[in-house]
Structure formats: structure tokens, C-alpha cells
Amino acid sequence: MEIPLRQYWRLLVRYLKPQWPMALGLSVLLLSSIALQLVNPQLMRRFLDTAQAGGDAQVLLTTAALFLAVAVVHQVVSVAAIYVSENVAWTATNALRADVADHCLRLDLSFHNVHSPGEMIERLDGDVTALSNFFSQFVVRVLGNGLLLVGILALLTREDWRVGLTVSLFAVITVVALARLRNIAVPHWAAERQASAELFGFLEERLGGTEDIRANGAEAYVMRKFYRLMRTLLSRSLKAGLMVNILLNTMFVLFALGTAAAFGVGAWLFYAQVLTIGTVYIVFHYTNMLEQPIQQITRQLQDLQKAGAGIVRVEELLATQSRLQEAEGSVRLPRGPLAVQLEDVSFGYKEDGNSGNGQVVLRDVSFCLAPGSVLGLLGRTGSGKTTLTRLLFRFYDPDTGSIRLSGVGAGDAQFVDIRRAPLAELRQRVGMVTQSIQLFHASVRENLTFFDDRIPDERIVEVIESVGLGAWYGSLPQGLDTELESGGGGLSAGEAQLLAFARVFLQDPGLVILDEASSRLDPATEALIERAVDRLVADRTAIVIAHRLGTVQRADEIMILSEGHIVEFGSRVTLARNPDSHFHGLLEKGLQEVLA
Ligand code: ATP
Ligand code: MG
């Protein structure tokens, strides 16, 4: 077992330091609770011995009262310790969770492409939760229980060295046996957890795809797979449970033997008149008490192993660097419509990790777009249209070449490379409506403003009405406070699209990118969307990935992509008139057939 001690220490210091008074208080509570446990048997012995010697009733009463008092204080201290330790653990792990989540959100999309949401949840929450015990109790518990163990053995040896020796021997055998046995259940638990993770992954995916499953009549198939996964889980749970039982039973037997040994030695020494009856009681009681520290220490060591895996994974995650380097300084992008300039841009998606050169998706793309103009981007599926827009939005950086933006009437010198502008600034000035619109489980207001509460309600309502959702808005039971379902359930495709437009209007960017949904909408909604697009591209530079003729007709410039390079770029009117152009051909054959 490899224990990354230095990493443990770093985490402990980093997350416990801010709450050191609490952590200190916790140590005091845990240590007092241990000390109190050692006191009570001593009182019991005094009581027994006094009673047997026919001692003073007054002494007996005080001893009994003292015993009760210590027991009560012990309980109070224990409860306080649990309370404080939960607090310390949650504060520390929440800070860690927040750090990890924040870090993940900053990572570029090439990271998120290869890590599924389920895996991220497991990392963000599962791994961190495994650390919580480690933060709150590990050091104190291991040290404290070690002390308790030594304390018990010392007290016993003080009573009589033969008793001390017997019990020490028993303790050593038990610790070794438990440490060895503990591990037999671990692989079975890991297998069981794996099976449960698979079951839930399966459930999540299939529930998400309910519509498709029903539509394709795949229920029976899904249920079969479900039963199979359940069966695996059942058999693994049984095995893991059995292993745990073996462990528990071994422990019972060991402790029974220990108690018997303590009784044996106690009886022998009592008849040899070395020990009083009170002392025999104490031997018996302390031997029983050994169970707790021995259990705790082995359990903590096991937790340490679990935490170890978590720590390694969390550190690995925190060490992952985003490929996008945030610009230093604060270059501002101009207000108003933006000019766009791409020069020799080439790009390929990378596999996770590093240089592993994926296929080139864009090759030597160069073009200029004047502020306020509308570019219609055409090309077959997979030709790289969406990829190009992702580069403009800086989800990825191009492998070679540069992307620059500037404002109205700016000379060549005023073009700003988007890598020099802060990401927040860039994403404020560039707006995007994607093919699949992500709506959150939050109020309409929050969905539209992205939780920016500086935007006044009047403005939101104005925008909703201007995109043609006035009637829809009127039907909302709680107006802007109405909660939307996550994923846009309960909204039609057209409504979702219009809401996405409303978002962009509120953001008021200088460049909008519109990845038009290719799904067909009913004519009324289509007309609404047409109108909204008209307003969206007015006074803005726009790049529209068009699937419908109507949208193409709105473009000033046309660019046709094929396998990542530009096969045609020019003014729409000129291209349409030129019978030799690809665009002319496209219009002849009909856009839908070629592009859809
Ligand atoms: P469509 O009209 O179907 O939306 P598109 O022109 O937008 O197509 P892109 O999405 O840009 O096409 O894809 C271009 C190429 O890049 C395709 O071969 C695709 O398989 C690949 N690709 C797209 N996204 C990724 C990704 N996240 N990781 C790896 N490869 C990708
Ligand atoms: Mg696309």
C-alpha cells in the first residue's frame, strides 16, 4: 500500500488552516473523550473493592455519583466531538469541492469532451467525500486510539505484569489478524461499487433516451440489459457482504478468546490472592475496551487507503492545465459591430492529453468580414462549420494562424488577436446560438440573464416580446419567476430557439454566431424565427450556419466549406449570378437536398 504522505499533508494544511481553532477544539474533545473512557473502570473497581470489604456506604454513594457524572460528561463530549468534526469535515471538503468545480469549469472543451458528466460527478463528489473522514478525524483518531491502546495496556501492566503480558499478546495478534483480514473484503467492495456505477450509468442514459427507446420499440432489449446488470450487482453484493461477515465473525471469535484469556488469568491470580475482585473486574473491562481502539485504528488505515485513491485523482484533476491560456492585461474589444479576420487558421481536435495529432478539421482558413455584414456559412455535414464557430468563441485555440477582431472604421493595426482579450470580455462581445439549446432548471429570468441580476425585469420582458414570445410569456403562471424544466422539457423546439435568441439580445454582442437548427418547424414558428433573426443580425456582424434558403438569402457574403477548407467565398449576389460557382449550383439543386 502506497501512502502519498506529502500530498496528504499539503491538503490537510491547506484546508484545515483557515479553521484551525475548530480543528484544535476538535482535537481537545477527542482526546478528552479518550481519557474519560479510561477513568470509569477505575471508579468501578473502587466501588467493587469497597463494597466487598464492607466499606463505608458514603464512599460507595460518592463513587457511584462520580461514575454517573463521568459517564454523562463522556457522552456530552462525544456528541460535541461528532458535531464539531462533521463541521470541520464539511467545511474543508466543501472548500475542496468548490476549488475542483471551479477548476473544471475553466478547463477547455477538449477536457470535457473526454470526461462524461457521470465521471465528473464521481470525481467532484465521490472522491472528495471519501476524503471527509480523513480531514476531520484521521490524525486525531489514529493518534488518540494509539494512546488509548497504550494507556489500557500500561494500566493493566501496572495491576500485574502477567495480566499486562497476556493482554498485550492478545492485542498484537488481533491487530495483525485484522490488518490482514480487512483487505479480503476490499476488492469485493470495489467490484460491487463498479457494478452499481454501471447500473446507474445505464439507468441515466436510458432514462434520458426514453423517447427514442419507445419510438424504436427497444423496451424489451433495455429491460433485458437492466436485469443483467441487476443480477451482476446482486451476486457481487452477496459476495462482498459474505466477506464482511467473515471478517466480523473472526473478530467476534478473537475477542471472545481474548476475554476468556483475561478471565482465565484474572481467576488464577484472584485465587492466588494476588488480585482483588475489583481488579479482576478492571482486567475484564479494559480487555473489552480494547476492541474499540483496535477496530478504529484498522478502520482508519482502511479509510486512508480509500482517501489515497481520492487524493491522487483530485490532485491529478487540479494539475490538469487548460489549453487556453487566459490573457494577461486587459485588452478591451471595441463596442458595436465587430470586424472578423482569420488568417491561415488550421485546427484539429486532439485526443485527451497532449500533442496526439487528431485529424485536421480546418485547413488554412483565411477570410475577412466587414463589421455589420452577414456571412452565410454552407457546407456538407462534417465539413467543419461548427468547429469554425467554436474557434471564434475560443472553446479551442487554432493550431496555427490567428483570429482577430476589431471595430467599425478601424485600420489593420487595431485588430485584436482574440488570444489577447480576456475570455470573459470575448464571450461578452461574441454571442452564440447553438443547434441544441441548453436550458437550466431555473426561473425564466435566470435562464435568460444567466444569473446576472443587474438586468432589469422590464428589459427582459421587452426582449421576450420583441422575439415574438409575448403570448407564451403571457401564459406563464408566475411570469419571469416560472421555473423551467432542465433540458427545455415543456417547451417546443421553436420556443427554445426563440429563448436562445432572447438571451443573445440581452447580452448585446458585436458578433453573433447562429448555428441554425436543421429541424423543421411549423410555418408560424418559422416566421417568428425569421423575424427574430432579422432583428438579431441588424447592427451586428453575423455568421450564420444556414440550412434554409430563407436564411441564406439574408447573407451578404457566402462561404462554402468542404473538408475543412474554403472552396468558395464571395458576395452572395455575385456568386448567385455566376453560373460556374458552387453556390449557383447549390441554389439550382436546392439547398435542402445538398446540405441536410
Ligand atoms: P453539421 O452540418 O453536421 O453540423 P459541421 O460542418 O458543423 O457539421 P463539425 O461539427 O465542425 O461539422 O465537425 C467537423 C469534423 O470534426 C467532423 O469530422 C467531426 O467528426 C469532427 N468533430 C467535431 N466535433 C468534434 C469533437 N468535439 N472532438 C473530435 N472531433 C470532432
Ligand atoms: Mg454543426
Side-chain angles (χ1 to χ4, degrees):
M1 176 176 92
E2 181 120 355
I3 304 180
L5 278 178
R6 189 171 321 156
Q7 276 137 320
Y8 280 131
W9 184 243
R10 257 209 315 266
L11 274 183
L12 263 187
V13 171
R14 175 146 170 221
Y15 289 99
L16 287 188
K17 213 175 187 179
Q19 39 172 347
W20 69 266
M22 279 292 238
L24 189 72
L26 177 61
S27 315
V28 171
L29 284 172
L30 286 174
L31 292 177
S32 335
S33 143
I34 287 166
L36 286 172
Q37 287 176 57
L38 286 174
V39 173
N40 252 355
Q42 302 283 350
L43 294 173
M44 196 68 154
R45 185 226 331 240
R46 190 161 96 192
F47 186 90
L48 286 175
D49 286 348
T50 314
Q52 221 204 5
D56 189 359
Q58 194 53 45
V59 178
L60 287 180
L61 277 179
T62 359
T63 315
L66 210 57
F67 180 89
L68 283 178
V70 171
V72 168
V73 172
H74 178 223
Q75 285 309 315
V76 171
V77 169
S78 300
V79 170
I82 290 171
Y83 179 79
V84 177
S85 99
E86 287 291 310
N87 253 319
V88 169
W90 278 95
T91 312
T93 48
N94 277 344
L96 181 60
R97 276 188 197 95
D99 283 356
V100 177
D102 187 52
H103 181 78
C104 288
L105 284 176
R106 281 169 205 283
L107 289 175
D108 63 320
L109 281 186
S110 53
F111 174 85
H112 291 285
N113 281 339
V114 289
H115 294 94
S116 71
E119 185 187 339
M120 294 312 295
I121 292 175
E122 181 57 24
R123 291 245 184 138
L124 274 177
D125 194 61
D127 284 348
V128 174
T129 305
L131 282 176
S132 80
N133 168 46
F134 164 73
F135 272 125
S136 60
Q137 321 203 325
F138 177 74
V139 177
V140 187
R141 284 243 184 254
V142 167
L143 280 183
N145 281 299
L147 279 181
L148 179 60
L149 194 66
V150 172
I152 290 175
L153 294 178
L155 284 176
L156 283 174
T157 312
R158 198 187 67 172
E159 299 304 336
D160 187 275
W161 65 269
R162 286 156 290 198
V163 175
L165 193 68
T166 317
V167 180
S168 300
L169 211 62
F170 158 69
V172 171
I173 292 172
T174 317
V175 168
V176 172
L178 282 189
R180 303 214 140 203
L181 273 178
R182 280 248 180 238
N183 290 330
I184 64 165
V186 174
H188 294 279
W189 277 124
E192 192 259 1
R193 273 198 304 271
Q194 175 69 25
S196 132
E198 269 164 32
L199 176 66
F200 283 104
F202 174 82
L203 274 181
E204 192 230 297
E205 195 182 297
R206 298 309 133 108
L207 284 177
T210 308
E211 267 180 37
D212 284 337
I213 290 171
R214 290 209 187 138
N216 293 303
E219 290 101 331
Y221 175 78
V222 170
M223 287 311 289
R224 193 177 126 88
K225 181 95 195 272
F226 178 63
Y227 288 138
R228 194 176 300 157
L229 286 171
M230 295 266 277
R231 205 164 51 217
T232 316
L233 180 59
L234 175 66
S235 77
R236 291 193 185 167
S237 302
L238 276 179
K239 226 177 257 166
L242 196 68
M243 288 299 160
V244 170
N245 262 313
I246 292 181
L247 186 68
L248 281 179
N249 282 320
T250 316
M251 226 145 61
F252 283 140
V253 172
L254 275 174
F255 279 105
L257 288 178
T259 313
F263 264 135
V265 180
W268 169 49
L269 291 175
F270 177 69
Y271 287 119
Q273 310 223 319
V274 181
L275 298 184
T276 64
I277 192 75
T279 312
V280 173
Y281 167 78
I282 239 180
V283 170
F284 166 70
H285 192 98
Y286 279 146
T287 312
N288 266 339
M289 266 179 71
L290 277 179
E291 185 170 343
Q292 190 210 332
I294 290 177
Q295 286 242 41
Q296 290 252 7
I297 289 174
T298 48
R299 180 168 307 151
Q300 290 293 333
L301 288 179
Q302 199 185 14
D303 273 349
L304 187 70
Q305 272 177 325
K306 265 198 257 166
I311 289 184
V312 172
R313 278 201 294 266
V314 166
E315 290 242 314
E316 206 179 86
L317 192 58
L318 286 177
T320 312
Q321 288 279 329
S322 176
R323 288 217 186 83
L324 302 178
Q325 289 308 315
E326 179 64 279
E328 318 218 325
S330 54
V331 177
R332 304 275 294 173
L333 290 169
R335 306 293 100 186
L338 292 169
V340 183
Q341 190 182 62
L342 268 77
E343 214 174 282
D344 295 328
V345 169
S346 296
F347 173 77
Y349 290 100
K350 321 277 175 309
E351 298 304 309
D352 185 34
N354 28 53
S355 57
N357 228 357
Q359 273 214 310
V360 181
V361 175
L362 290 175
R363 302 160 215 269
D364 300 326
V365 174
S366 305
F367 69 91
C368 262
L369 206 55
S373 58
V374 177
L375 172 71
L377 190 51
L378 305 178
R380 282 178 188 281
T381 179
S383 55
K385 304 179 299 288
T386 303
T387 308
L388 184 65
T389 62
R390 286 187 186 137
L391 293 187
L392 276 166
F393 213 61
R394 233 188 138 205
F395 282 147
Y396 307 90
D397 277 336
D399 299 332
T400 59
S402 63
I403 302 176
R404 294 194 289 263
L405 299 174
S406 93
V408 182
D412 251 12
Q414 273 125 315
F415 270 96
V416 177
D417 192 309
I418 59 172
R419 276 171 289 203
R420 281 182 46 223
L423 276 177
E425 165 84 358
L426 177 71
R427 291 179 183 165
Q428 178 62 41
R429 298 296 298 138
V430 180
M432 170 116 99
V433 182
T434 55
Q435 282 174 336
S436 56
I437 290 119
Q438 181 68 53
L439 290 169
F440 301 101
H441 179 77
S443 69
V444 172
R445 180 189 295 103
E446 290 161 337
N447 263 294
L448 289 179
T449 61
F450 277 114
F451 307 94
D452 179 354
D453 49 20
R454 288 168 306 181
I455 301 178
D457 283 1
E458 301 83 68
R459 171 104 185 94
I460 303 175
V461 175
E462 191 185 301
V463 165
I464 290 180
E465 274 166 4
S466 76
V467 296
L469 281 177
W472 172 79
Y473 175 67
S475 74
L476 293 178
Q478 274 131 27
L480 290 178
D481 292 314
T482 312
E483 293 273 315
L484 292 182
E485 287 169 41
S486 70
L491 287 175
S492 77
E495 285 162 349
Q497 184 100 50
L498 289 169
L499 276 181
F501 285 160
R503 268 182 189 166
V504 176
F505 276 116
L506 285 172
Q507 179 195 345
D508 195 18
L511 168 65
V512 285
I513 296 168
L514 181 58
D515 202 342
E516 197 179 52
S518 47
S519 59
R520 279 162 218 204
L521 303 164
D522 62 282
T525 319
E526 185 135 353
L528 277 182
I529 291 193
E530 295 281 301
R531 258 193 34 223
V533 172
D534 271 335
R535 303 196 27 155
L536 197 64
V537 301
D539 298 325
R540 292 190 179 87
T541 312
I543 297 181
V544 182
I545 300 178
H547 291 280
R548 289 169 306 161
L549 195 61
T551 330
V552 175
Q553 299 298 14
R554 198 178 281 112
D556 305 309
E557 315 268 346
I558 292 290
M559 181 158 103
I560 300 181
L561 276 180
S562 170
E563 294 180 5
H565 50 237
I566 304 181
V567 290
E568 201 160 273
F569 180 75
S571 122
R572 176 178 58 84
V573 181
T574 323
L575 286 178
R577 284 207 195 111
N578 177 359
D580 297 328
S581 71
H582 285 83
F583 183 58
H584 187 85
L586 277 182
L587 292 180
E588 292 274 277
K589 279 184 248 167
L591 216 48
Q592 305 285 8
E593 264 89 307
V594 186
L595 297 177

